[in-house]
Amino acid sequence: MDSHPAPTISIVTAHGRQVLAGDGNERLVDLLNRHRVPWSAVAAYVVPRSGGEPRLSPSLDTRLEEFEDAAEILLYFNRNVNPFLFALDDFKTIESADPSLGTEYFYQRLDNESGTAEAFLKKLSPDECKEIIADRVAETVRAAVPEGSTLVVGVSGGGDSNAMLLGLSRLADYGVTIDPVILKGIPDWDAGVPRAQALCESYGLDLTVIDENEVKDLLGIPVDDPTPLIDRFEREFAGDDFEFMGTLLIRLALTKRAKDVGTSYIATGLNLEDVVCEAMFRVSSGMKPAPFPAREIGETTLVFPLWMCPKRIIDGCFPKYSLDNYDARYPCFSLGRNMYYSVVYAMQSQFPGFLEQLTRGLSKMSMTDPITYTLDEQLGFYTERAVPFPLRRRFQKMLGLTPAGR
Protein backbone atom coordinates (compact mmCIF):
# COMPACT_ATOMS: atom_id res chain seq x y z
CA MET A 1 0.00 0.00 0.00
CA ASP A 2 1.43 3.34 -1.05
CA SER A 3 1.84 5.95 1.68
CA HIS A 4 1.61 9.65 1.01
CA PRO A 5 3.13 12.51 3.00
CA ALA A 6 0.70 14.60 5.02
CA PRO A 7 -0.77 17.47 3.01
CA THR A 8 0.51 21.00 3.41
CA ILE A 9 -1.91 23.12 5.47
CA SER A 10 -2.05 26.79 4.49
CA ILE A 11 -4.08 29.73 5.74
CA VAL A 12 -5.04 31.87 2.75
CA THR A 13 -5.91 35.52 3.39
CA ALA A 14 -5.91 38.76 1.42
CA HIS A 15 -2.49 39.34 3.01
CA GLY A 16 -0.99 36.15 1.57
CA ARG A 17 -0.45 32.56 2.71
CA GLN A 18 0.96 31.10 5.90
CA VAL A 19 1.78 27.42 6.34
CA LEU A 20 0.63 25.78 9.57
CA ALA A 21 2.77 22.94 10.91
CA GLY A 22 0.60 19.89 11.51
CA ASP A 23 0.73 16.42 13.06
CA GLY A 24 -0.85 13.62 11.05
CA ASN A 25 -2.58 12.26 14.15
CA GLU A 26 -4.43 15.47 15.00
CA ARG A 27 -7.76 16.56 13.63
CA LEU A 28 -8.05 19.67 11.52
CA VAL A 29 -9.87 21.48 14.34
CA ASP A 30 -7.03 20.57 16.72
CA LEU A 31 -4.52 22.14 14.35
CA LEU A 32 -6.59 25.32 14.14
CA ASN A 33 -6.94 25.53 17.92
CA ARG A 34 -3.21 25.03 18.41
CA HIS A 35 -2.44 27.89 16.02
CA ARG A 36 -5.23 30.05 17.53
CA VAL A 37 -7.12 30.23 14.23
CA PRO A 38 -10.91 30.48 14.79
CA TRP A 39 -12.55 27.43 13.19
CA SER A 40 -15.62 29.52 12.33
CA ALA A 41 -13.50 31.92 10.25
CA VAL A 42 -12.14 29.46 7.68
CA ALA A 43 -13.40 27.21 4.91
CA ALA A 44 -11.26 24.19 3.98
CA TYR A 45 -10.57 23.40 0.32
CA VAL A 46 -8.68 20.23 -0.63
CA VAL A 47 -6.26 20.33 -3.59
CA PRO A 48 -6.21 16.77 -5.08
CA ARG A 49 -2.85 15.09 -5.71
CA SER A 50 -4.15 14.13 -9.13
CA GLY A 51 -4.71 17.77 -10.04
CA GLY A 52 -7.93 19.59 -10.76
CA GLU A 53 -9.90 22.25 -8.98
CA PRO A 54 -9.83 22.52 -5.15
CA ARG A 55 -12.98 21.12 -3.57
CA LEU A 56 -14.77 22.34 -0.46
CA SER A 57 -14.26 19.89 2.40
CA PRO A 58 -16.28 20.12 5.65
CA SER A 59 -13.61 18.26 7.59
CA LEU A 60 -12.96 19.80 11.01
CA ASP A 61 -13.20 16.37 12.65
CA THR A 62 -10.94 14.66 10.08
CA ARG A 63 -7.40 13.65 11.05
CA LEU A 64 -4.71 15.01 8.77
CA GLU A 65 -3.42 11.52 7.97
CA GLU A 66 -6.86 10.67 6.54
CA PHE A 67 -6.51 13.22 3.71
CA GLU A 68 -4.82 10.56 1.56
CA ASP A 69 -5.74 12.13 -1.78
CA ALA A 70 -4.86 15.70 -0.72
CA ALA A 71 -1.69 17.47 -1.80
CA GLU A 72 -2.65 20.61 0.09
CA ILE A 73 -5.45 21.91 2.28
CA LEU A 74 -6.21 25.59 1.73
CA LEU A 75 -7.93 27.26 4.67
CA TYR A 76 -9.55 30.39 3.24
CA PHE A 77 -10.13 33.08 5.86
CA ASN A 78 -13.60 34.48 5.24
CA ARG A 79 -12.77 38.15 5.93
CA ASN A 80 -10.10 40.35 4.36
CA VAL A 81 -8.26 40.78 7.66
CA ASN A 82 -4.95 39.50 9.00
CA PRO A 83 -5.79 36.80 11.59
CA PHE A 84 -2.25 36.80 12.95
CA LEU A 85 -1.93 40.55 13.48
CA PHE A 86 -2.57 40.34 17.24
CA ALA A 87 -0.76 37.04 17.87
CA LEU A 88 1.47 36.94 20.93
CA ASP A 89 4.13 34.74 19.35
CA ASP A 90 6.47 37.71 19.03
CA PHE A 91 6.60 40.09 21.97
CA LYS A 92 9.03 42.18 23.96
CA THR A 93 9.56 41.61 27.68
CA ILE A 94 9.79 44.65 29.94
CA GLU A 95 11.59 43.64 33.10
CA SER A 96 10.84 45.08 36.52
CA ALA A 97 13.55 46.89 38.46
CA ASP A 98 12.37 44.96 41.52
CA PRO A 99 13.39 41.27 41.45
CA SER A 100 10.57 40.24 43.81
CA LEU A 101 8.05 39.72 41.01
CA GLY A 102 4.35 39.48 41.79
CA THR A 103 2.83 38.95 38.35
CA GLU A 104 3.06 39.82 34.65
CA TYR A 105 0.59 41.28 32.18
CA PHE A 106 0.42 41.62 28.41
CA TYR A 107 -0.08 45.00 26.77
CA GLN A 108 -0.32 45.91 23.08
CA ARG A 109 0.51 49.11 21.24
CA LEU A 110 -1.59 49.57 18.10
CA ASP A 111 -0.52 51.85 15.25
CA ASN A 112 -3.38 52.47 12.83
CA GLU A 113 -1.25 54.42 10.35
CA SER A 114 1.11 51.51 9.77
CA GLY A 115 -1.46 48.79 10.54
CA THR A 116 0.84 47.15 13.09
CA ALA A 117 0.43 45.77 16.62
CA GLU A 118 3.30 45.43 19.05
CA ALA A 119 2.99 43.23 22.15
CA PHE A 120 4.76 43.68 25.48
CA LEU A 121 4.93 41.37 28.49
CA LYS A 122 5.40 43.62 31.53
CA LYS A 123 6.90 42.04 34.62
CA LEU A 124 5.42 43.57 37.77
CA SER A 125 6.60 43.49 41.37
CA PRO A 126 4.06 43.55 44.23
CA ASP A 127 4.83 47.24 44.79
CA GLU A 128 4.25 48.06 41.13
CA CYS A 129 0.94 46.16 41.23
CA LYS A 130 -0.08 48.13 44.31
CA GLU A 131 0.66 51.43 42.56
CA ILE A 132 -1.44 50.46 39.54
CA ILE A 133 -4.38 49.35 41.68
CA ALA A 134 -4.15 52.32 44.05
CA ASP A 135 -4.21 54.80 41.15
CA ARG A 136 -7.30 53.21 39.59
CA VAL A 137 -9.13 52.89 42.90
CA ALA A 138 -8.41 56.54 43.71
CA GLU A 139 -9.64 57.70 40.32
CA THR A 140 -12.94 55.88 40.71
CA VAL A 141 -13.63 56.89 44.31
CA ARG A 142 -12.83 60.55 43.67
CA ALA A 143 -15.29 60.54 40.77
CA ALA A 144 -18.12 58.64 42.51
CA VAL A 145 -17.92 59.46 46.24
CA PRO A 146 -18.06 63.01 47.66
CA GLU A 147 -15.03 64.17 49.60
CA GLY A 148 -15.28 63.52 53.34
CA SER A 149 -17.84 60.71 53.01
CA THR A 150 -17.91 57.39 54.84
CA LEU A 151 -17.58 54.40 52.53
CA VAL A 152 -18.77 51.00 53.79
CA VAL A 153 -16.59 48.38 52.12
CA GLY A 154 -17.34 44.68 51.74
CA VAL A 155 -14.20 42.59 52.18
CA SER A 156 -13.56 38.85 51.96
CA GLY A 157 -9.94 38.37 52.89
CA GLY A 158 -9.19 37.50 49.26
CA GLY A 159 -7.05 39.30 46.73
CA ASP A 160 -9.71 41.66 45.36
CA SER A 161 -10.91 43.15 48.63
CA ASN A 162 -7.36 43.30 50.00
CA ALA A 163 -6.15 45.29 47.01
CA MET A 164 -9.22 47.51 47.26
CA LEU A 165 -8.44 48.31 50.91
CA LEU A 166 -4.89 49.12 49.89
CA GLY A 167 -6.09 51.62 47.32
CA LEU A 168 -8.66 53.15 49.67
CA SER A 169 -6.07 53.53 52.43
CA ARG A 170 -4.15 55.93 50.20
CA LEU A 171 -7.03 58.40 49.97
CA ALA A 172 -6.23 60.20 53.23
CA ASP A 173 -6.03 63.54 51.43
CA TYR A 174 -9.60 63.06 50.20
CA GLY A 175 -11.00 62.64 53.70
CA VAL A 176 -12.93 59.41 53.01
CA THR A 177 -13.61 57.26 56.08
CA ILE A 178 -13.31 53.54 55.34
CA ASP A 179 -15.64 51.18 57.21
CA PRO A 180 -14.75 47.55 56.29
CA VAL A 181 -17.31 44.76 56.75
CA ILE A 182 -17.11 40.99 56.27
CA LEU A 183 -19.91 38.40 56.34
CA LYS A 184 -19.89 34.92 57.82
CA GLY A 185 -22.17 32.01 57.03
CA ILE A 186 -20.50 29.93 54.31
CA PRO A 187 -17.12 28.17 54.55
CA ASP A 188 -15.03 30.37 52.25
CA TRP A 189 -16.43 33.54 53.83
CA ASP A 190 -15.59 32.22 57.31
CA ALA A 191 -12.07 31.25 56.21
CA GLY A 192 -11.43 34.80 55.02
CA VAL A 193 -12.15 36.46 58.38
CA PRO A 194 -8.64 36.04 59.90
CA ARG A 195 -6.99 37.31 56.70
CA ALA A 196 -9.34 40.30 56.53
CA GLN A 197 -8.75 41.12 60.19
CA ALA A 198 -4.98 41.01 59.75
CA LEU A 199 -5.11 43.28 56.74
CA CYS A 200 -7.48 45.78 58.34
CA GLU A 201 -5.25 45.95 61.42
CA SER A 202 -2.28 46.75 59.20
CA TYR A 203 -4.16 49.80 57.89
CA GLY A 204 -5.53 50.84 61.29
CA LEU A 205 -9.10 49.92 60.32
CA ASP A 206 -11.71 48.29 62.55
CA LEU A 207 -13.35 45.35 60.77
CA THR A 208 -17.03 44.70 61.42
CA VAL A 209 -17.84 40.97 61.30
CA ILE A 210 -21.48 40.10 60.56
CA ASP A 211 -22.16 36.58 61.81
CA GLU A 212 -24.46 34.02 60.20
CA ASN A 213 -27.41 34.79 62.46
CA GLU A 214 -27.28 38.46 61.47
CA VAL A 215 -27.13 37.45 57.81
CA LYS A 216 -30.16 35.20 58.27
CA ASP A 217 -31.98 38.06 59.97
CA LEU A 218 -31.42 40.24 56.88
CA LEU A 219 -33.47 37.72 54.91
CA GLY A 220 -36.06 37.06 57.60
CA ILE A 221 -34.83 33.52 58.31
CA PRO A 222 -35.55 32.39 61.90
CA VAL A 223 -32.30 32.66 63.86
CA ASP A 224 -33.01 29.39 65.67
CA ASP A 225 -33.15 27.48 62.38
CA PRO A 226 -29.84 25.51 62.24
CA THR A 227 -29.85 24.90 58.46
CA PRO A 228 -26.71 26.52 56.93
CA LEU A 229 -27.30 29.19 54.30
CA ILE A 230 -25.50 27.32 51.56
CA ASP A 231 -27.51 24.15 52.22
CA ARG A 232 -30.74 26.14 51.96
CA PHE A 233 -29.65 27.56 48.62
CA GLU A 234 -28.46 24.29 47.10
CA ARG A 235 -31.59 22.47 48.22
CA GLU A 236 -33.85 24.86 46.34
CA PHE A 237 -31.53 26.06 43.53
CA ALA A 238 -29.54 22.93 42.72
CA GLY A 239 -27.07 23.54 39.89
CA ASP A 240 -26.87 27.30 40.45
CA ASP A 241 -23.89 29.05 42.01
CA PHE A 242 -24.19 30.43 45.54
CA GLU A 243 -22.34 33.53 44.28
CA PHE A 244 -25.71 34.75 42.99
CA MET A 245 -27.19 34.55 46.48
CA GLY A 246 -23.98 35.78 48.06
CA THR A 247 -24.03 38.96 45.99
CA LEU A 248 -27.50 39.81 47.30
CA LEU A 249 -26.54 39.06 50.90
CA ILE A 250 -23.45 41.26 50.69
CA ARG A 251 -25.44 44.15 49.24
CA LEU A 252 -28.13 43.86 51.93
CA ALA A 253 -25.56 43.68 54.71
CA LEU A 254 -23.55 46.64 53.43
CA THR A 255 -26.73 48.69 52.89
CA LYS A 256 -27.85 48.05 56.48
CA ARG A 257 -24.41 48.95 57.79
CA ALA A 258 -24.42 52.16 55.73
CA LYS A 259 -27.77 53.13 57.22
CA ASP A 260 -26.49 52.39 60.74
CA VAL A 261 -23.41 54.64 60.32
CA GLY A 262 -25.25 57.37 58.43
CA THR A 263 -23.88 57.10 54.90
CA SER A 264 -25.27 56.16 51.51
CA TYR A 265 -22.04 54.86 49.90
CA ILE A 266 -21.01 51.20 49.83
CA ALA A 267 -18.33 49.40 47.82
CA THR A 268 -17.55 45.85 46.77
CA GLY A 269 -14.55 44.31 45.01
CA LEU A 270 -15.87 43.49 41.53
CA ASN A 271 -12.88 43.63 39.21
CA LEU A 272 -12.44 44.16 35.48
CA GLU A 273 -13.37 40.62 34.48
CA ASP A 274 -16.33 40.55 36.89
CA VAL A 275 -18.02 43.67 35.53
CA VAL A 276 -17.56 42.55 31.92
CA CYS A 277 -19.03 39.13 32.73
CA GLU A 278 -22.08 40.73 34.28
CA ALA A 279 -22.51 43.15 31.36
CA MET A 280 -22.11 40.40 28.74
CA PHE A 281 -24.68 38.22 30.48
CA ARG A 282 -27.15 41.07 30.58
CA VAL A 283 -26.63 42.18 26.98
CA SER A 284 -26.85 38.62 25.65
CA SER A 285 -30.08 38.23 27.65
CA GLY A 286 -31.65 41.29 26.06
CA MET A 287 -30.99 43.70 28.93
CA LYS A 288 -28.88 46.84 28.99
CA PRO A 289 -25.78 46.84 31.21
CA ALA A 290 -26.38 47.63 34.87
CA PRO A 291 -24.64 50.89 35.83
CA PHE A 292 -20.97 50.77 36.77
CA PRO A 293 -18.67 51.88 38.33
CA ALA A 294 -21.40 53.61 40.41
CA ARG A 295 -24.89 52.13 40.78
CA GLU A 296 -27.76 53.87 42.60
CA ILE A 297 -30.02 51.37 44.34
CA GLY A 298 -32.69 53.18 46.32
CA GLU A 299 -30.95 55.63 48.63
CA THR A 300 -27.63 53.76 48.39
CA THR A 301 -24.84 54.15 45.83
CA LEU A 302 -22.88 50.96 45.17
CA VAL A 303 -19.35 51.69 43.93
CA PHE A 304 -16.91 49.30 42.23
CA PRO A 305 -13.43 50.78 42.84
CA LEU A 306 -11.71 47.84 41.08
CA TRP A 307 -13.76 47.97 37.89
CA MET A 308 -10.68 48.76 35.75
CA CYS A 309 -8.33 46.43 37.63
CA PRO A 310 -7.42 43.06 36.05
CA LYS A 311 -7.54 40.12 38.46
CA ARG A 312 -3.99 39.12 37.54
CA ILE A 313 -2.59 42.46 38.69
CA ILE A 314 -4.80 42.46 41.79
CA ASP A 315 -3.39 39.07 42.79
CA GLY A 316 0.11 40.44 42.32
CA CYS A 317 -0.42 42.87 45.20
CA PHE A 318 -0.75 40.20 47.91
CA PRO A 319 0.18 36.82 46.42
CA LYS A 320 -0.03 34.95 49.75
CA TYR A 321 -3.51 36.27 50.60
CA SER A 322 -4.74 35.42 47.10
CA LEU A 323 -3.40 31.86 47.34
CA ASP A 324 -5.17 31.30 50.66
CA ASN A 325 -8.42 32.53 49.12
CA TYR A 326 -8.06 30.25 46.09
CA ASP A 327 -7.45 27.22 48.31
CA ALA A 328 -10.68 27.92 50.24
CA ARG A 329 -12.95 28.09 47.20
CA TYR A 330 -15.65 25.61 46.34
CA PRO A 331 -16.44 24.49 42.74
CA CYS A 332 -18.88 26.39 40.54
CA PHE A 333 -21.28 24.26 38.48
CA SER A 334 -23.30 27.06 36.88
CA LEU A 335 -22.91 26.64 33.12
CA GLY A 336 -23.67 30.29 32.43
CA ARG A 337 -21.12 31.59 34.89
CA ASN A 338 -18.49 29.19 33.56
CA MET A 339 -19.20 30.20 29.97
CA TYR A 340 -19.10 33.97 30.43
CA TYR A 341 -15.88 33.93 32.42
CA SER A 342 -14.30 31.61 29.85
CA VAL A 343 -15.26 34.00 27.04
CA VAL A 344 -13.91 37.02 28.92
CA TYR A 345 -10.57 35.39 29.70
CA ALA A 346 -10.24 34.23 26.08
CA MET A 347 -10.71 37.80 24.82
CA GLN A 348 -8.33 39.20 27.41
CA SER A 349 -5.64 36.63 26.62
CA GLN A 350 -5.74 36.76 22.83
CA PHE A 351 -6.33 40.50 22.42
CA PRO A 352 -4.47 42.39 25.18
CA GLY A 353 -5.99 45.76 25.91
CA PHE A 354 -9.32 45.04 24.22
CA LEU A 355 -11.09 44.08 27.45
CA GLU A 356 -10.25 47.44 28.99
CA GLN A 357 -11.57 49.23 25.88
CA LEU A 358 -14.77 47.16 25.93
CA THR A 359 -15.25 47.86 29.64
CA ARG A 360 -15.02 51.61 29.18
CA GLY A 361 -17.59 51.46 26.40
CA LEU A 362 -20.00 49.31 28.41
CA SER A 363 -19.59 51.63 31.38
CA LYS A 364 -20.44 54.69 29.29
CA MET A 365 -23.56 52.95 27.99
CA SER A 366 -24.62 51.87 31.46
CA MET A 367 -24.19 55.30 33.04
CA THR A 368 -25.84 57.24 30.20
CA ASP A 369 -29.20 55.55 30.66
CA PRO A 370 -29.08 53.94 34.11
CA ILE A 371 -31.46 51.31 35.39
CA THR A 372 -33.98 52.30 38.05
CA TYR A 373 -34.37 49.91 40.99
CA THR A 374 -37.70 49.60 42.82
CA LEU A 375 -38.33 48.39 46.36
CA ASP A 376 -40.13 45.05 46.38
CA GLU A 377 -42.24 45.35 49.54
CA GLN A 378 -42.82 41.62 49.82
CA LEU A 379 -39.16 40.62 49.44
CA GLY A 380 -37.88 43.59 51.40
CA PHE A 381 -35.15 44.71 48.98
CA TYR A 382 -34.71 46.61 45.72
CA THR A 383 -35.07 44.79 42.41
CA GLU A 384 -34.64 45.83 38.81
CA ARG A 385 -37.92 44.35 37.61
CA ALA A 386 -40.84 42.33 38.89
CA VAL A 387 -39.75 38.93 40.16
CA PRO A 388 -41.79 36.16 38.45
CA PHE A 389 -44.15 34.41 40.85
CA PRO A 390 -42.58 30.91 40.52
CA LEU A 391 -39.10 32.29 41.27
CA ARG A 392 -40.49 34.39 44.12
CA ARG A 393 -42.08 31.28 45.67
CA ARG A 394 -38.85 29.28 45.32
CA PHE A 395 -36.91 32.07 46.98
CA GLN A 396 -39.39 32.32 49.83
CA LYS A 397 -39.42 28.55 50.22
CA MET A 398 -35.63 28.60 50.51
CA LEU A 399 -35.96 31.11 53.33
CA GLY A 400 -38.61 29.00 55.05
CA LEU A 401 -41.23 31.72 54.61
CA THR A 402 -43.75 29.50 52.80
CA PRO A 403 -44.99 26.04 53.76
CA ALA A 404 -43.03 23.32 51.92
CA GLY A 405 -44.91 21.83 49.02
CA ARG A 406 -47.23 24.79 48.53
Side-chain angles (χ1 to χ4, degrees):
M1 180 176 178
D2 294 335
S3 61
H4 298 287
T8 300
I9 316 293
S10 301
I11 288 284
V12 184
T13 75
H15 296 267
R17 294 191 181 191
Q18 180 167 331
V19 175
L20 305 182
D23 181 336
N25 290 321
E26 65 184 341
R27 298 166 301 181
L28 184 57
V29 70
D30 300 327
L31 175 92
L32 294 173
N33 287 337
R34 187 159 54 80
H35 288 279
R36 296 189 298 276
V37 176
W39 61 265
S40 60
V42 297
Y45 286 80
V46 170
V47 179
R49 294 184 186 280
S50 58
E53 292 294 320
R55 67 175 186 276
L56 182 63
S57 175
S59 48
L60 289 175
D61 60 344
T62 303
R63 298 190 181 280
L64 301 186
E65 63 187 8
E66 296 173 1
F67 288 94
E68 295 183 357
D69 65 338
E72 187 175 14
I73 299 174
L74 302 177
L75 301 172
Y76 280 87
F77 210 80
N78 57 29
R79 287 291 181 268
N80 61 337
V81 299
N82 181 354
F84 301 103
L85 181 61
F86 303 103
L88 298 179
D89 298 326
D90 183 23
F91 59 86
K92 295 180 180 178
T93 299
I94 302 176
E95 300 290 349
S96 171
D98 187 341
S100 60
L101 295 180
T103 191
E104 54 197 350
Y105 200 74
F106 269 109
Y107 297 90
Q108 272 192 331
R109 178 186 298 137
L110 307 181
D111 187 334
N112 282 321
E113 290 188 9
S114 62
T116 59
E118 191 174 12
F120 303 88
L121 179 63
K122 178 67 176 77
K123 303 288 184 176
L124 296 166
S125 70
D127 284 344
E128 288 172 320
C129 292
K130 292 173 184 177
E131 288 300 322
I132 292 171
I133 299 304
D135 286 347
R136 295 185 180 181
V137 166
E139 181 181 6
T140 299
V141 172
R142 291 177 188 275
V145 180
E147 186 174 2
S149 300
T150 294
L151 181 63
V152 176
V153 182
V155 299
S156 67
D160 292 18
S161 58
N162 290 347
M164 180 168 58
L165 282 179
L166 164 76
L168 294 173
S169 72
R170 299 188 179 183
L171 280 168
D173 66 311
Y174 196 58
V176 173
T177 299
I178 307 303
D179 185 35
V181 175
I182 191 169
L183 278 65
K184 297 183 68 176
I186 64 172
D188 58 338
W189 288 358
D190 298 348
V193 172
R195 299 192 300 272
Q197 288 174 326
L199 198 73
C200 287
E201 288 175 5
S202 71
Y203 292 120
L205 299 172
D206 293 325
L207 177 67
T208 298
V209 180
I210 299 179
D211 64 28
E212 184 172 3
N213 285 339
E214 293 177 271
V215 173
K216 286 182 176 180
D217 187 56
L218 288 170
L219 294 170
I221 299 174
V223 174
D224 58 358
D225 189 321
T227 307
L229 288 169
I230 195 165
D231 290 347
R232 287 176 171 274
F233 181 84
E234 291 178 348
R235 181 178 59 198
E236 191 60 38
F237 294 95
D240 286 328
D241 195 320
F242 187 78
E243 291 285 350
F244 304 131
M245 181 68 175
T247 299
L248 171 63
L249 291 175
I250 292 168
R251 174 164 66 85
L252 295 180
L254 297 184
T255 300
K256 181 179 183 302
R257 176 66 180 178
K259 185 176 181 180
D260 291 344
V261 300
T263 186
S264 58
Y265 295 95
I266 63 177
T268 61
L270 267 69
N271 58 45
L272 173 69
E273 295 87 350
D274 293 331
V275 296
V276 179
C277 265
E278 181 196 60
M280 286 182 59
F281 162 73
R282 292 181 59 85
V283 171
S284 64
S285 301
M287 300 179 286
K288 58 187 178 184
F292 69 90
R295 185 175 301 176
E296 292 187 11
I297 304 176
E299 297 178 354
T300 302
T301 299
L302 173 58
V303 182
F304 305 126
L306 298 176
W307 73 289
M308 283 300 294
C309 300
K311 176 65 170 168
R312 194 175 181 91
I313 297 180
I314 290 172
D315 283 345
C317 295
F318 301 100
K320 178 62 169 64
Y321 280 100
S322 296
L323 176 61
D324 290 343
N325 183 251
Y326 285 137
D327 284 340
R329 287 184 173 179
Y330 59 89
C332 165
F333 298 103
S334 166
L335 294 180
R337 192 167 187 270
N338 276 277
M339 181 180 69
Y340 287 108
Y341 273 105
S342 297
V343 170
V344 166
Y345 282 117
M347 287 194 299
Q348 185 181 43
S349 297
Q350 188 151 352
F351 304 101
F354 174 71
L355 199 64
E356 286 84 350
Q357 179 180 335
L358 177 63
T359 305
R360 291 188 184 95
L362 289 169
S363 172
K364 186 175 181 180
M365 290 173 58
S366 73
M367 300 296 287
T368 300
D369 183 22
I371 293 166
T372 300
Y373 294 85
T374 304
L375 179 63
D376 187 308
E377 298 286 353
Q378 188 179 48
L379 294 178
F381 51 81
Y382 283 85
T383 61
E384 174 186 346
R385 56 192 181 280
V387 179
F389 182 73
L391 177 59
R392 182 184 297 268
R393 295 292 285 179
R394 287 178 68 194
F395 184 80
Q396 292 175 324
K397 182 180 175 183
M398 179 195 69
L399 303 182
L401 301 181
T402 63
R406 291 184 60 185

